[in-house]
Coordinates of all heavy atoms in Angstrom, one line a residue:
M262 N 54.5 -41.4 -29.7 CA 53.5 -42.4 -29.6 C 52.7 -42.2 -28.2 O 51.5 -42.3 -28.2 CB 54.1 -43.8 -29.7 CG 53.0 -44.8 -29.5 SD 53.3 -46.1 -30.6 CE 52.7 -47.4 -29.7
Y263 N 53.5 -41.9 -27.2 CA 52.9 -41.8 -25.8 C 52.0 -40.5 -25.8 O 51.0 -40.5 -25.2 CB 54.0 -41.7 -24.8 CG 53.6 -41.4 -23.4 CD1 53.0 -42.4 -22.7 CD2 53.7 -40.2 -22.8 CE1 52.5 -42.2 -21.4 CE2 53.3 -40.0 -21.5 CZ 52.7 -41.0 -20.8 OH 52.2 -40.7 -19.6
I264 N 52.5 -39.5 -26.5 CA 51.7 -38.2 -26.5 C 50.4 -38.4 -27.3 O 49.3 -37.9 -26.9 CB 52.5 -37.1 -27.1 CG1 53.7 -36.8 -26.2 CG2 51.7 -35.8 -27.4 CD1 54.7 -35.8 -26.7
A265 N 50.4 -39.1 -28.4 CA 49.2 -39.4 -29.2 C 48.2 -40.2 -28.3 O 47.0 -40.0 -28.4 CB 49.6 -40.1 -30.5
C266 N 48.7 -41.2 -27.6 CA 47.9 -42.0 -26.7 C 47.3 -41.2 -25.6 O 46.1 -41.3 -25.3 CB 48.7 -43.1 -26.2 SG 47.8 -44.2 -25.1
M267 N 48.0 -40.3 -25.0 CA 47.5 -39.4 -24.0 C 46.5 -38.4 -24.5 O 45.5 -38.1 -23.9 CB 48.7 -38.6 -23.3 CG 49.5 -39.4 -22.4 SD 48.6 -40.1 -21.0 CE 48.3 -38.7 -20.0
D268 N 46.7 -37.9 -25.8 CA 45.7 -37.0 -26.4 C 44.4 -37.7 -26.5 O 43.3 -37.2 -26.2 CB 46.2 -36.5 -27.7 CG 47.3 -35.5 -27.6 OD1 47.3 -34.9 -26.5 OD2 48.0 -35.2 -28.6
S269 N 44.4 -39.0 -27.0 CA 43.1 -39.7 -27.2 C 42.5 -40.0 -25.9 O 41.3 -40.0 -25.7 CB 43.4 -40.9 -28.1 OG 44.2 -41.8 -27.4
V270 N 43.3 -40.4 -24.9 CA 42.7 -40.7 -23.5 C 42.1 -39.4 -22.9 O 41.0 -39.5 -22.3 CB 43.8 -41.3 -22.6 CG1 43.4 -41.3 -21.2 CG2 44.3 -42.6 -23.1
L271 N 42.8 -38.3 -23.1 CA 42.2 -37.0 -22.5 C 40.9 -36.6 -23.3 O 40.0 -36.2 -22.6 CB 43.3 -35.9 -22.6 CG 44.4 -36.0 -21.6 CD1 45.4 -34.9 -21.9 CD2 43.9 -35.8 -20.2
Q272 N 40.9 -36.8 -24.6 CA 39.7 -36.5 -25.3 C 38.5 -37.4 -24.9 O 37.4 -36.9 -24.7 CB 39.9 -36.7 -26.8 CG 40.8 -35.5 -27.4 CD 41.0 -35.7 -28.9 OE1 40.7 -36.8 -29.5 NE2 41.5 -34.7 -29.5
I273 N 38.8 -38.7 -24.7 CA 37.8 -39.6 -24.3 C 37.3 -39.2 -22.9 O 36.1 -39.2 -22.6 CB 38.3 -41.1 -24.4 CG1 38.5 -41.5 -25.8 CG2 37.3 -42.0 -23.7 CD1 39.2 -42.8 -26.0
T274 N 38.2 -38.9 -22.0 CA 37.8 -38.5 -20.7 C 37.0 -37.2 -20.7 O 36.0 -37.1 -20.0 CB 39.1 -38.2 -19.8 OG1 39.9 -39.4 -19.9 CG2 38.8 -38.0 -18.4
I275 N 37.4 -36.3 -21.5 CA 36.6 -35.0 -21.6 C 35.2 -35.3 -22.2 O 34.2 -34.8 -21.7 CB 37.3 -34.0 -22.4 CG1 38.6 -33.5 -21.7 CG2 36.4 -32.8 -22.8 CD1 39.5 -32.6 -22.5
Y276 N 35.1 -36.2 -23.2 CA 33.8 -36.5 -23.7 C 32.9 -37.2 -22.7 O 31.7 -37.0 -22.6 CB 34.0 -37.4 -25.0 CG 34.5 -36.6 -26.2 CD1 35.4 -37.3 -27.0 CD2 34.2 -35.3 -26.4 CE1 36.0 -36.6 -28.1 CE2 34.7 -34.6 -27.5 CZ 35.6 -35.3 -28.4 OH 36.1 -34.6 -29.4
V277 N 33.5 -38.1 -21.9 CA 32.7 -38.9 -20.9 C 32.3 -37.9 -19.9 O 31.1 -37.9 -19.4 CB 33.6 -40.0 -20.3 CG1 32.9 -40.6 -19.1 CG2 33.8 -41.1 -21.3
L278 N 33.1 -37.0 -19.4 CA 32.7 -36.0 -18.4 C 31.6 -35.1 -19.0 O 30.7 -34.7 -18.3 CB 33.9 -35.2 -17.9 CG 34.9 -36.0 -17.1 CD1 36.1 -35.1 -16.8 CD2 34.3 -36.5 -15.8
A279 N 31.7 -34.7 -20.2 CA 30.7 -33.9 -20.9 C 29.4 -34.6 -20.9 O 28.3 -34.0 -20.6 CB 31.2 -33.4 -22.2
I280 N 29.4 -35.9 -21.2 CA 28.2 -36.6 -21.3 C 27.6 -36.8 -19.9 O 26.4 -36.6 -19.7 CB 28.4 -38.0 -21.9 CG1 28.7 -37.9 -23.4 CG2 27.3 -39.0 -21.7 CD1 29.3 -39.2 -24.0
V281 N 28.4 -37.0 -18.9 CA 27.9 -37.1 -17.5 C 27.3 -35.8 -17.1 O 26.3 -35.7 -16.4 CB 29.1 -37.5 -16.5 CG1 28.7 -37.4 -15.1 CG2 29.5 -39.0 -16.8
L282 N 28.0 -34.7 -17.4 CA 27.5 -33.3 -17.1 C 26.1 -33.1 -17.8 O 25.2 -32.5 -17.2 CB 28.5 -32.3 -17.5 CG 28.1 -30.8 -17.2 CD1 28.0 -30.6 -15.7 CD2 29.1 -29.9 -17.8
L283 N 26.0 -33.5 -19.0 CA 24.8 -33.3 -19.8 C 23.6 -34.1 -19.1 O 22.5 -33.6 -19.0 CB 25.0 -33.7 -21.2 CG 23.8 -33.5 -22.2 CD1 23.4 -32.0 -22.2 CD2 24.1 -34.1 -23.5
I284 N 23.9 -35.3 -18.8 CA 22.9 -36.1 -18.1 C 22.5 -35.5 -16.8 O 21.3 -35.5 -16.4 CB 23.4 -37.6 -17.9 CG1 23.5 -38.3 -19.3 CG2 22.5 -38.4 -17.0 CD1 24.2 -39.6 -19.3
A285 N 23.5 -35.1 -16.0 CA 23.2 -34.4 -14.7 C 22.3 -33.2 -14.9 O 21.4 -33.0 -14.1 CB 24.5 -34.1 -14.0
L286 N 22.6 -32.4 -15.9 CA 21.8 -31.2 -16.2 C 20.4 -31.5 -16.6 O 19.4 -30.9 -16.2 CB 22.5 -30.3 -17.2 CG 23.7 -29.6 -16.8 CD1 24.4 -28.9 -18.0 CD2 23.4 -28.6 -15.7
I287 N 20.3 -32.6 -17.4 CA 18.9 -33.0 -17.8 C 18.1 -33.5 -16.5 O 16.9 -33.1 -16.4 CB 19.0 -34.1 -18.8 CG1 19.5 -33.6 -20.2 CG2 17.7 -34.8 -19.0 CD1 19.8 -34.6 -21.2
L288 N 18.8 -34.3 -15.7 CA 18.1 -34.7 -14.5 C 17.7 -33.5 -13.6 O 16.6 -33.5 -13.0 CB 18.9 -35.7 -13.7 CG 19.2 -37.1 -14.4 CD1 20.1 -37.9 -13.6 CD2 17.8 -37.8 -14.5
F289 N 18.6 -32.6 -13.4 CA 18.3 -31.4 -12.6 C 17.2 -30.6 -13.2 O 16.3 -30.2 -12.5 CB 19.6 -30.5 -12.5 CG 19.4 -29.3 -11.8 CD1 19.3 -29.3 -10.4 CD2 19.3 -28.0 -12.5 CE1 19.1 -28.1 -9.8 CE2 19.1 -26.9 -11.8 CZ 19.0 -26.9 -10.4
T290 N 17.1 -30.5 -14.5 CA 16.0 -29.8 -15.2 C 14.7 -30.5 -14.9 O 13.7 -29.8 -14.6 CB 16.3 -29.6 -16.7 OG1 17.6 -29.0 -16.8 CG2 15.2 -28.8 -17.3
V291 N 14.7 -31.8 -15.0 CA 13.4 -32.5 -14.8 C 13.0 -32.4 -13.4 O 11.8 -32.1 -13.1 CB 13.6 -34.0 -15.2 CG1 12.5 -34.9 -14.7 CG2 13.8 -34.2 -16.7
R292 N 13.9 -32.5 -12.4 CA 13.5 -32.3 -11.0 C 13.0 -30.9 -10.8 O 12.1 -30.6 -10.0 CB 14.7 -32.6 -10.1 CG 14.9 -34.1 -10.0 CD 15.9 -34.4 -8.9 NE 16.0 -35.9 -8.8 CZ 16.8 -36.4 -7.9 NH1 17.4 -35.7 -7.1 NH2 16.9 -37.7 -7.9
A293 N 13.7 -29.9 -11.4 CA 13.2 -28.5 -11.2 C 11.8 -28.3 -11.8 O 11.0 -27.6 -11.2 CB 14.2 -27.5 -11.9
M294 N 11.5 -28.9 -12.9 CA 10.2 -28.8 -13.5 C 9.2 -29.4 -12.6 O 8.1 -28.8 -12.4 CB 10.2 -29.4 -14.9 CG 11.0 -28.6 -15.9 SD 11.2 -29.4 -17.5 CE 9.5 -29.8 -18.0
K295 N 9.5 -30.6 -12.0 CA 8.5 -31.2 -11.0 C 8.3 -30.3 -9.8 O 7.2 -30.1 -9.4 CB 9.0 -32.5 -10.6 CG 9.0 -33.6 -11.6 CD 9.5 -34.9 -11.1 CE 9.4 -36.0 -12.2 NZ 10.0 -37.3 -11.7
T296 N 9.4 -29.7 -9.3 CA 9.3 -28.8 -8.2 C 8.4 -27.6 -8.5 O 7.6 -27.2 -7.7 CB 10.7 -28.4 -7.7 OG1 11.4 -29.6 -7.4 CG2 10.6 -27.5 -6.4
L297 N 8.6 -27.0 -9.7 CA 7.9 -25.9 -10.1 C 6.4 -26.2 -10.3 O 5.5 -25.4 -10.0 CB 8.4 -25.3 -11.4 CG 9.8 -24.5 -11.2 CD1 10.3 -24.1 -12.6 CD2 9.6 -23.3 -10.3
K298 N 6.1 -27.4 -10.7 CA 4.7 -27.8 -10.8 C 4.0 -27.9 -9.4 O 2.9 -27.4 -9.2 CB 4.5 -29.1 -11.5 CG 4.7 -29.1 -13.0 CD 4.6 -30.4 -13.6 CE 4.9 -30.4 -15.1 NZ 4.8 -31.7 -15.8
K299 N 4.8 -28.4 -8.4 CA 4.3 -28.5 -7.1 C 4.1 -27.1 -6.5 O 3.1 -26.8 -5.8 CB 5.2 -29.3 -6.2 CG 5.2 -30.8 -6.5 CD 6.2 -31.5 -5.6 CE 6.3 -33.0 -6.0 NZ 7.3 -33.7 -5.1
V300 N 5.0 -26.2 -6.7 CA 4.9 -24.8 -6.2 C 3.7 -24.1 -6.9 O 3.0 -23.4 -6.2 CB 6.2 -24.0 -6.5 CG1 6.1 -22.6 -6.3 CG2 7.4 -24.6 -5.7
D301 N 3.5 -24.4 -8.2 CA 2.4 -23.8 -8.9 C 1.1 -24.2 -8.3 O 0.1 -23.4 -8.1 CB 2.4 -24.1 -10.4 CG 1.4 -23.4 -11.2 OD1 1.2 -22.1 -10.9 OD2 0.8 -24.0 -12.1
A302 N 1.0 -25.5 -7.9 CA -0.2 -26.0 -7.3 C -0.5 -25.4 -5.9 O -1.6 -25.0 -5.6 CB -0.2 -27.5 -7.2
V303 N 0.6 -25.2 -5.2 CA 0.5 -24.6 -3.9 C 0.0 -23.1 -4.0 O -0.8 -22.7 -3.3 CB 1.8 -24.7 -3.1 CG1 1.8 -23.8 -1.9 CG2 2.1 -26.1 -2.7
L304 N 0.6 -22.4 -5.0 CA 0.2 -21.0 -5.2 C -1.2 -20.9 -5.6 O -1.9 -20.0 -5.2 CB 1.2 -20.4 -6.2 CG 2.6 -20.1 -5.7 CD1 3.4 -19.5 -6.8 CD2 2.5 -19.2 -4.5
E305 N -1.7 -21.8 -6.5 CA -3.1 -21.8 -6.9 C -4.0 -22.0 -5.7 O -5.1 -21.3 -5.6 CB -3.4 -22.8 -8.0 CG -2.8 -22.4 -9.3 CD -3.1 -23.5 -10.4 OE1 -3.8 -24.5 -10.1 OE2 -2.5 -23.3 -11.5
D306 N -3.7 -22.9 -4.8 CA -4.5 -23.2 -3.6 C -4.5 -22.0 -2.7 O -5.5 -21.6 -2.2 CB -3.9 -24.4 -2.9 CG -4.7 -24.8 -1.7 OD1 -6.0 -24.8 -1.8 OD2 -4.1 -25.0 -0.6
L307 N -3.3 -21.4 -2.6 CA -3.2 -20.2 -1.8 C -4.0 -19.0 -2.3 O -4.7 -18.3 -1.6 CB -1.7 -19.8 -1.6 CG -1.4 -18.6 -0.7 CD1 -1.8 -18.9 0.7 CD2 0.1 -18.2 -0.9
E308 N -4.0 -18.9 -3.7 CA -4.8 -17.8 -4.3 C -6.3 -18.0 -4.1 O -7.0 -17.1 -3.8 CB -4.5 -17.8 -5.8 CG -5.1 -16.7 -6.5 CD -4.8 -16.6 -8.0 OE1 -3.7 -17.2 -8.4 OE2 -5.5 -16.0 -8.8
G309 N -6.7 -19.3 -4.1 CA -8.1 -19.5 -3.8 C -8.5 -19.2 -2.4 O -9.6 -18.6 -2.2
K310 N -7.6 -19.5 -1.5 CA -7.9 -19.2 -0.1 C -7.9 -17.6 0.1 O -8.7 -17.1 0.9 CB -6.9 -19.9 0.8 CG -7.1 -21.3 0.9 CD -6.1 -22.1 1.7 CE -6.4 -23.6 1.7 NZ -5.4 -24.3 2.5
V311 N -7.0 -17.0 -0.5 CA -6.9 -15.5 -0.4 C -8.2 -14.9 -1.0 O -8.7 -13.9 -0.4 CB -5.7 -14.9 -1.1 CG1 -5.8 -13.4 -1.3 CG2 -4.4 -15.3 -0.4
Q312 N -8.7 -15.4 -2.0 CA -10.0 -14.9 -2.6 C -11.1 -15.0 -1.6 O -12.0 -14.2 -1.5 CB -10.3 -15.6 -3.9 CG -9.4 -15.3 -5.1 CD -9.4 -13.8 -5.4 OE1 -10.4 -13.1 -5.3 NE2 -8.2 -13.3 -5.8
K313 N -11.2 -16.2 -0.9 CA -12.2 -16.4 0.1 C -12.0 -15.4 1.3 O -13.0 -14.8 1.8 CB -12.1 -17.8 0.7 CG -12.6 -18.9 -0.3 CD -12.4 -20.2 0.3 CE -12.8 -21.3 -0.7 NZ -12.6 -22.7 -0.2
L314 N -10.8 -15.1 1.6 CA -10.5 -14.2 2.7 C -10.8 -12.7 2.3 O -11.3 -11.9 3.1 CB -9.0 -14.2 3.2 CG -8.7 -15.4 4.0 CD1 -7.2 -15.4 4.3 CD2 -9.4 -15.4 5.3
N315 N -10.7 -12.4 1.0 CA -11.0 -11.1 0.5 C -12.5 -10.8 0.7 O -12.9 -9.7 1.1 CB -10.7 -11.0 -1.0 CG -9.2 -10.7 -1.2 OD1 -8.5 -10.3 -0.3 ND2 -8.7 -10.9 -2.4
G316 N -13.4 -11.9 0.5 CA -14.8 -11.7 0.8 C -15.1 -11.4 2.2 O -15.9 -10.5 2.6
I317 N -14.4 -12.1 3.1 CA -14.6 -11.8 4.5 C -14.1 -10.4 4.9 O -14.8 -9.7 5.7 CB -13.8 -12.9 5.4 CG1 -14.5 -14.3 5.2 CG2 -13.8 -12.5 6.8 CD1 -13.7 -15.4 5.8
F318 N -13.0 -10.0 4.3 CA -12.5 -8.7 4.6 C -13.4 -7.6 4.1 O -13.5 -6.5 4.7 CB -11.0 -8.5 4.1 CG -10.0 -9.2 4.9 CD1 -9.0 -10.0 4.3 CD2 -10.0 -9.1 6.3 CE1 -8.1 -10.7 5.0 CE2 -9.0 -9.8 7.0 CZ -8.1 -10.6 6.4
E319 N -14.0 -7.9 2.9 CA -15.0 -6.9 2.4 C -16.2 -6.8 3.4 O -16.7 -5.7 3.6 CB -15.5 -7.3 1.0 CG -14.4 -7.1 0.0 CD -14.9 -7.7 -1.4 OE1 -16.0 -8.1 -1.5 OE2 -14.0 -7.6 -2.3
I320 N -16.7 -7.9 3.9 CA -17.8 -7.8 4.9 C -17.3 -7.1 6.1 O -18.1 -6.2 6.6 CB -18.2 -9.3 5.2 CG1 -18.9 -10.0 4.0 CG2 -19.2 -9.3 6.4 CD1 -19.1 -11.4 4.2
I321 N -16.1 -7.3 6.6 CA -15.7 -6.6 7.8 C -15.5 -5.1 7.5 O -15.9 -4.3 8.3 CB -14.3 -7.2 8.3 CG1 -14.5 -8.6 8.8 CG2 -13.6 -6.4 9.3 CD1 -13.3 -9.4 9.1
D322 N -15.0 -4.8 6.3 CA -14.9 -3.4 6.0 C -16.2 -2.7 5.9 O -16.4 -1.6 6.4 CB -14.2 -3.3 4.6 CG -13.8 -1.9 4.2 OD1 -13.4 -1.1 5.1 OD2 -14.0 -1.5 3.0
Y323 N -17.2 -3.4 5.3 CA -18.6 -2.8 5.2 C -19.2 -2.6 6.6 O -19.7 -1.5 6.9 CB -19.5 -3.7 4.4 CG -20.9 -3.2 4.3 CD1 -21.2 -2.1 3.5 CD2 -21.9 -3.8 5.0 CE1 -22.5 -1.6 3.5 CE2 -23.2 -3.4 5.0 CZ -23.5 -2.3 4.2 OH -24.8 -1.9 4.1
T324 N -19.0 -3.6 7.4 CA -19.5 -3.5 8.8 C -18.9 -2.4 9.6 O -19.5 -1.6 10.3 CB -19.3 -4.8 9.6 OG1 -19.9 -5.9 8.8 CG2 -19.9 -4.8 10.9
T325 N -17.6 -2.2 9.4 CA -16.9 -1.1 10.1 C -17.4 0.2 9.6 O -17.5 1.2 10.4 CB -15.3 -1.3 9.8 OG1 -14.9 -2.5 10.2 CG2 -14.6 -0.2 10.5
E326 N -17.6 0.4 8.3 CA -18.1 1.6 7.7 C -19.5 1.9 8.3 O -19.8 3.1 8.7 CB -18.2 1.6 6.2 CG -16.8 1.6 5.6 CD -16.9 1.5 4.0 OE1 -18.0 1.5 3.5 OE2 -15.9 1.4 3.4
V327 N -20.4 0.9 8.4 CA -21.7 1.2 9.0 C -21.6 1.6 10.4 O -22.3 2.5 10.9 CB -22.6 -0.1 8.8 CG1 -23.8 0.0 9.6 CG2 -22.9 -0.4 7.3
I328 N -20.8 0.9 11.2 CA -20.6 1.2 12.6 C -20.1 2.6 12.8 O -20.5 3.4 13.6 CB -19.8 0.2 13.3 CG1 -20.5 -1.2 13.4 CG2 -19.3 0.6 14.7 CD1 -19.7 -2.3 13.9
T329 N -19.1 3.0 11.9 CA -18.5 4.3 12.0 C -19.6 5.4 11.7 O -19.6 6.4 12.4 CB -17.4 4.4 11.0 OG1 -16.4 3.4 11.3 CG2 -16.7 5.8 11.1
S330 N -20.4 5.2 10.7 CA -21.4 6.2 10.3 C -22.4 6.3 11.4 O -22.8 7.4 11.7 CB -22.0 5.8 9.0 OG -22.8 4.6 9.1
V331 N -22.8 5.2 12.0 CA -23.8 5.2 13.1 C -23.2 6.0 14.3 O -23.9 6.8 14.9 CB -24.3 3.8 13.5 CG1 -25.0 3.8 14.8 CG2 -25.1 3.2 12.4
T332 N -22.0 5.7 14.6 CA -21.3 6.3 15.7 C -21.2 7.8 15.5 O -21.4 8.6 16.4 CB -19.9 5.7 15.9 OG1 -20.1 4.3 16.1 CG2 -19.2 6.3 17.2
E333 N -20.8 8.2 14.3 CA -20.7 9.6 14.0 C -22.1 10.3 14.1 O -22.2 11.4 14.6 CB -20.2 9.8 12.5 CG -18.7 9.5 12.4 CD -18.2 9.6 11.0 OE1 -19.0 9.9 10.1 OE2 -17.0 9.4 10.8
K334 N -23.1 9.7 13.6 CA -24.5 10.3 13.7 C -24.9 10.4 15.2 O -25.4 11.4 15.6 CB -25.5 9.4 13.0 CG -25.4 9.5 11.5 CD -26.4 8.7 10.8 CE -26.2 8.7 9.3 NZ -27.2 7.9 8.6
M335 N -24.6 9.3 16.0 CA -25.0 9.4 17.4 C -24.1 10.5 18.1 O -24.7 11.2 19.0 CB -24.8 8.0 18.1 CG -25.8 7.0 17.6 SD -25.4 5.4 18.3 CE -25.5 5.7 20.1
G336 N -22.9 10.6 17.7 CA -22.0 11.6 18.4 C -22.5 13.0 18.0 O -22.5 13.9 18.9
S337 N -22.9 13.2 16.7 CA -23.4 14.6 16.4 C -24.7 14.9 17.0 O -24.9 16.0 17.5 CB -23.5 14.7 14.8 OG -24.5 13.8 14.4
I338 N -25.6 13.9 17.2 CA -26.9 14.1 17.9 C -26.6 14.4 19.3 O -27.2 15.3 19.9 CB -27.8 12.9 17.7 CG1 -28.3 12.7 16.3 CG2 -28.9 12.9 18.7 CD1 -29.0 11.4 16.0
F339 N -25.7 13.7 20.0 CA -25.4 13.9 21.4 C -24.8 15.2 21.6 O -25.2 16.0 22.5 CB -24.4 12.8 21.8 CG -24.1 12.8 23.3 CD1 -25.0 12.5 24.3 CD2 -22.8 13.2 23.7 CE1 -24.7 12.6 25.6 CE2 -22.5 13.3 25.0 CZ -23.4 13.0 26.0
S340 N -23.8 15.6 20.7 CA -23.2 16.9 20.9 C -24.1 18.1 20.6 O -24.1 19.1 21.3 CB -21.9 17.0 20.0 OG -22.3 17.0 18.7
S341 N -25.0 17.9 19.6 CA -26.0 19.0 19.4 C -27.0 19.1 20.5 O -27.4 20.2 20.9 CB -26.7 18.8 18.0 OG -27.5 17.6 18.1
G342 N -27.3 18.0 21.1 CA -28.3 18.0 22.3 C -27.6 18.7 23.4 O -28.3 19.5 24.1
I343 N -26.4 18.4 23.7 CA -25.7 19.1 24.8 C -25.6 20.6 24.5 O -25.8 21.5 25.4 CB -24.3 18.5 25.1 CG1 -24.5 17.1 25.7 CG2 -23.5 19.3 26.0 CD1 -23.2 16.3 25.9
F344 N -25.2 20.9 23.2 CA -25.1 22.3 22.8 C -26.4 23.0 23.0 O -26.5 24.2 23.5 CB -24.6 22.4 21.4 CG -24.5 23.8 20.9 CD1 -23.4 24.6 21.3 CD2 -25.4 24.3 20.0 CE1 -23.3 25.9 20.8 CE2 -25.2 25.6 19.5 CZ -24.2 26.4 20.0
N345 N -27.5 22.4 22.6 CA -28.9 23.0 22.7 C -29.2 23.2 24.2 O -29.9 24.2 24.6 CB -29.9 22.2 22.0 CG -29.8 22.3 20.5 OD1 -29.3 23.3 20.0 ND2 -30.3 21.3 19.8
L346 N -28.9 22.2 25.0 CA -29.1 22.3 26.5 C -28.5 23.5 27.1 O -29.1 24.3 27.8 CB -28.7 21.0 27.2 CG -29.0 20.9 28.7 CD1 -30.4 20.8 28.9 CD2 -28.2 19.7 29.2
F347 N -27.2 23.7 26.8 CA -26.5 24.9 27.3 C -27.0 26.2 26.7 O -27.1 27.2 27.4 CB -25.0 24.7 27.1 CG -24.4 23.7 28.0 CD1 -23.7 22.6 27.5 CD2 -24.4 23.9 29.4 CE1 -23.1 21.7 28.3 CE2 -23.8 22.9 30.2 CZ -23.2 21.9 29.7
T348 N -27.4 26.2 25.5 CA -27.9 27.5 24.9 C -29.2 27.8 25.4 O -29.6 29.0 25.6 CB -27.9 27.4 23.3 OG1 -28.7 26.2 23.0 CG2 -26.5 27.3 22.7
R349 N -30.0 26.8 25.8 CA -31.4 27.1 26.4 C -31.2 27.7 27.8 O -31.9 28.6 28.1 CB -32.1 25.8 26.5 CG -32.8 25.3 25.3 CD -33.6 24.0 25.6 NE -33.9 23.4 24.3 CZ -34.5 22.2 24.2 NH1 -34.7 21.5 25.3 NH2 -34.8 21.7 23.1
K350 N -30.2 27.2 28.5 CA -30.0 27.7 29.9 C -29.5 29.2 29.7 O -30.0 30.1 30.5 CB -28.9 26.9 30.6 CG -29.4 25.6 31.1 CD -28.3 24.9 31.9 CE -28.8 23.5 32.4 NZ -27.8 22.9 33.2
K351 N -28.7 29.5 28.7 CA -28.2 30.9 28.5 C -29.4 31.7 28.1 O -29.5 32.9 28.5 CB -27.1 30.9 27.5 CG -25.8 30.4 28.0 CD -24.7 30.6 26.9 CE -23.4 30.0 27.4 NZ -22.4 30.1 26.3
R352 N -30.3 31.2 27.2 CA -31.4 32.0 26.7 C -32.4 32.3 27.9 O -32.9 33.3 28.0 CB -32.2 31.2 25.6 CG -31.4 31.2 24.3 CD -32.2 30.5 23.3 NE -31.4 30.2 22.1 CZ -31.7 29.3 21.2 NH1 -32.8 28.6 21.3 NH2 -30.9 29.1 20.2
K353 N -32.6 31.3 28.8 CA -33.5 31.5 29.9 C -32.9 32.5 30.9 O -33.6 33.4 31.4 CB -33.7 30.2 30.7 CG -34.6 29.2 30.0 CD -34.8 27.9 30.8 CE -35.6 26.9 30.1 NZ -35.8 25.7 30.9
K354 N -31.6 32.5 31.1 CA -30.9 33.5 31.9 C -31.1 34.9 31.3 O -31.4 35.9 32.0 CB -29.5 33.2 32.2 CG -29.2 32.0 33.1 CD -27.7 31.8 33.3 CE -27.5 30.7 34.3 NZ -26.0 30.4 34.5
E355 N -30.9 34.9 30.0 CA -31.0 36.2 29.3 C -32.4 36.7 29.3 O -32.7 37.9 29.5 CB -30.5 36.1 27.9 CG -29.0 35.9 27.7 CD -28.5 35.7 26.3 OE1 -29.4 35.7 25.4 OE2 -27.3 35.5 26.1
A356 N -33.4 35.8 29.2 CA -34.8 36.2 29.2 C -35.2 36.7 30.6 O -35.9 37.7 30.7 CB -35.7 35.0 28.8
K357 N -34.7 36.1 31.7 CA -34.9 36.5 33.0 C -34.3 37.9 33.3 O -34.9 38.7 34.0 CB -34.4 35.5 34.0 CG -35.3 34.2 34.1 CD -34.8 33.3 35.2 CE -35.6 32.0 35.2 NZ -35.1 31.1 36.3
E358 N -33.1 38.0 32.8 CA -32.4 39.3 33.0 C -33.1 40.4 32.2 O -33.2 41.6 32.6 CB -31.0 39.2 32.5 CG -30.1 38.4 33.4 CD -28.7 38.2 32.9 OE1 -28.4 38.8 31.8 OE2 -27.9 37.5 33.5
N359 N -33.7 40.2 31.1 CA -34.4 41.2 30.3 C -35.8 41.5 30.9 O -36.3 42.6 30.6 CB -34.6 40.7 28.8 CG -33.3 40.7 28.1 OD1 -32.4 41.4 28.4 ND2 -33.2 39.8 27.0
E360 N -36.3 40.7 31.7 CA -37.6 41.0 32.2 C -37.5 42.0 33.3 O -37.4 42.8 33.9 CB -38.3 39.7 32.8 CG -38.7 38.7 31.8 CD -39.2 37.5 32.4 OE1 -39.3 37.3 33.7 OE2 -39.7 36.6 31.7

């Protein structure tokens, strides 16, 4: 009789603990869903800000490309001018020597 009573008490205890565990899991799931909604909202806000920054970075990239091309053109003009200056001096010396 004692064993039968203990069996029923243990079963009731296990059922109560299972119900408590189920309720705890449901509460945890609800809180996790709320947290995920908040994280999703933050990520959407962050994505919007990143899109705005992408526009700024495109402008900076375009400006850098323009400055680079202008600098390259100025450098090539400057170097060709110096090259022509030295070749003229050599040509003048050769022309004087040929006379």
Side-chain angles (χ1 to χ4, degrees):
M262 177 142 150
Y263 178 74
I264 295 176
C266 181
M267 285 300 286
D268 284 340
S269 62
V270 170
L271 285 176
Q272 285 180 352
I273 292 172
T274 306
I275 290 174
Y276 290 142
V277 168
L278 290 176
I280 290 171
V281 169
L282 180 64
L283 182 64
I284 292 171
L286 288 174
I287 290 171
L288 291 175
F289 176 72
T290 305
V291 169
R292 286 191 178 183
M294 288 172 53
K295 287 180 182 178
T296 303
L297 287 176
K298 285 181 183 179
K299 290 178 183 178
V300 168
D301 188 40
V303 169
L304 288 177
E305 286 179 7
D306 184 46
L307 183 64
E308 186 177 337
K310 290 179 181 178
V311 166
Q312 292 299 327
K313 290 178 184 177
L314 285 176
N315 281 343
I317 293 172
F318 286 132
E319 288 176 6
I320 292 170
I321 291 171
D322 187 41
Y323 176 74
T324 305
T325 304
E326 288 177 6
V327 169
I328 290 172
T329 302
S330 66
V331 168
T332 304
E333 287 176 359
K334 288 179 184 178
M335 289 176 58
S337 65
I338 290 171
F339 182 72
S340 64
S341 65
I343 291 176
F344 180 73
N345 287 336
L346 181 67
F347 286 121
T348 55
R349 284 184 192 167
K350 287 183 179 181
K351 286 183 183 178
R352 287 182 194 162
K353 286 181 182 179
K354 285 183 182 179
E355 288 176 2
K357 286 182 182 180
E358 289 176 2
N359 288 337
E360 291 178 357

